[in-house]
């Protein structure tokens, strides 16, 4: 698992990417789960990293600068994330979580592994398919459309 320092260095060098997403995450919302689903679904990505407890701004040069802001209730964030990954999705996703301190601020590094093709697509049970499934396209989480479901399953769409 990569360290928070490494992730902040990469974020400050190239911004968010297909494999790294920074979130303030004082409370877990839809955005965090959408990213978890996208990392679990995207073929060939080998998963991705969420850096929770981060903040950012655009500087005078137009560059986005990231830093550790910290999380106030780290235990709650971890429990909520693990519970949501186990209960809100059609399949269980087990993220790896690591607590780290960066510049005196506590952050949570989360690695979401890519799900096996036999488990895909991962989606929000309450929303269903295709809208409850997401793919990681560049630094964004995109709602799936019907055609994406074939890709995620590793199948060829019938003609």
């Amino acid at each position: 698992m990569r360290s928070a320092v490494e992730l902040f260095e990469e974020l400050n060098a190239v911004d968010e990417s297909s494999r790294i997403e920074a979130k303030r995450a004082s409370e877990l919302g839809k955005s965090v789960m959408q990213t978890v689903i996208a990392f679990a679904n995207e073929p060939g990505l080998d998963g991705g990293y969420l850096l929770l407890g981060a903040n950012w701004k655009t500087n005078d040069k137009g560059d986005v600068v990231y830093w550790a802001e910290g999380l106030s209730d780290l235990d709650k964030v971890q429990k909520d994330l693990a519970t949501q990954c186990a209960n809100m999705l059609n399949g269980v996703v087990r993220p790896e979580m690591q607590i780290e301190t960066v510049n005196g601020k506590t952050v949570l590094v989360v690695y979401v592994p890519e799900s096996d093709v036999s488990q895909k697509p991962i989606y929000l049970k309450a929303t269903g398919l295709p809208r409850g499934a997401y793919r990681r396209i560049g630094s964004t989480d995109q709602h799936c459309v019907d055609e994406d479901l074939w890709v995620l399953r590793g199948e060829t769409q019938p003609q």
Side-chain angles (χ1 to χ4, degrees):
M1 178 179 273
R2 295 180 64 190
S3 74
V5 170
E6 287 177 306
L7 295 173
F8 275 114
E9 286 174 357
E10 185 169 332
L11 284 165
N12 283 313
V14 297
D15 206 352
E16 291 181 327
S17 66
S18 60
R19 297 212 56 224
I20 301 174
E21 178 91 10
K23 304 266 188 203
R24 290 181 184 94
S26 54
E27 301 232 346
L28 293 183
K30 286 191 329 185
S31 178
V32 170
M33 288 310 295
Q34 290 169 356
T35 301
V36 166
I37 293 166
F39 283 152
N41 275 337
E42 191 58 35
L45 190 62
D46 196 29
Y49 287 91
L50 274 162
L51 186 54
L52 305 180
N55 204 344
W56 56 91
K57 69 176 180 181
T58 304
N59 66 16
D60 296 339
K61 296 178 186 175
D63 298 325
V64 180
V65 179
Y66 293 85
W67 69 90
E69 185 166 275
L71 292 168
S72 58
D73 195 347
L74 196 58
D75 192 48
K76 182 180 182 335
V77 171
Q78 288 183 92
K79 286 178 184 175
D80 287 351
L81 182 58
T83 299
Q84 289 178 21
C85 286
N87 297 328
M88 292 178 62
L89 309 176
N90 64 308
V92 176
V93 172
R94 299 285 188 210
E96 297 174 31
M97 295 184 248
Q98 184 171 290
I99 299 168
E100 294 188 34
T101 302
V102 177
N103 298 326
K105 304 289 185 176
T106 305
V107 298
L108 184 63
V109 176
V110 179
Y111 172 71
V112 180
E114 181 180 344
S115 293
D116 186 77
V117 70
S118 66
Q119 303 298 312
K120 292 180 185 179
I122 299 295
Y123 59 90
L124 291 166
K125 288 190 280 190
T127 307
L129 289 174
R131 294 284 298 167
Y134 294 84
R135 293 189 62 189
R136 188 72 177 177
I137 308 298
S139 63
T140 68
D141 305 320
Q142 298 290 314
H143 281 282
C144 284
V145 295
D146 289 335
E147 291 79 10
D148 287 317
L149 303 180
W150 292 97
V151 174
L152 296 180
R153 292 178 180 130
E155 299 172 352
T156 304
Q157 185 174 357
Q159 299 300 320

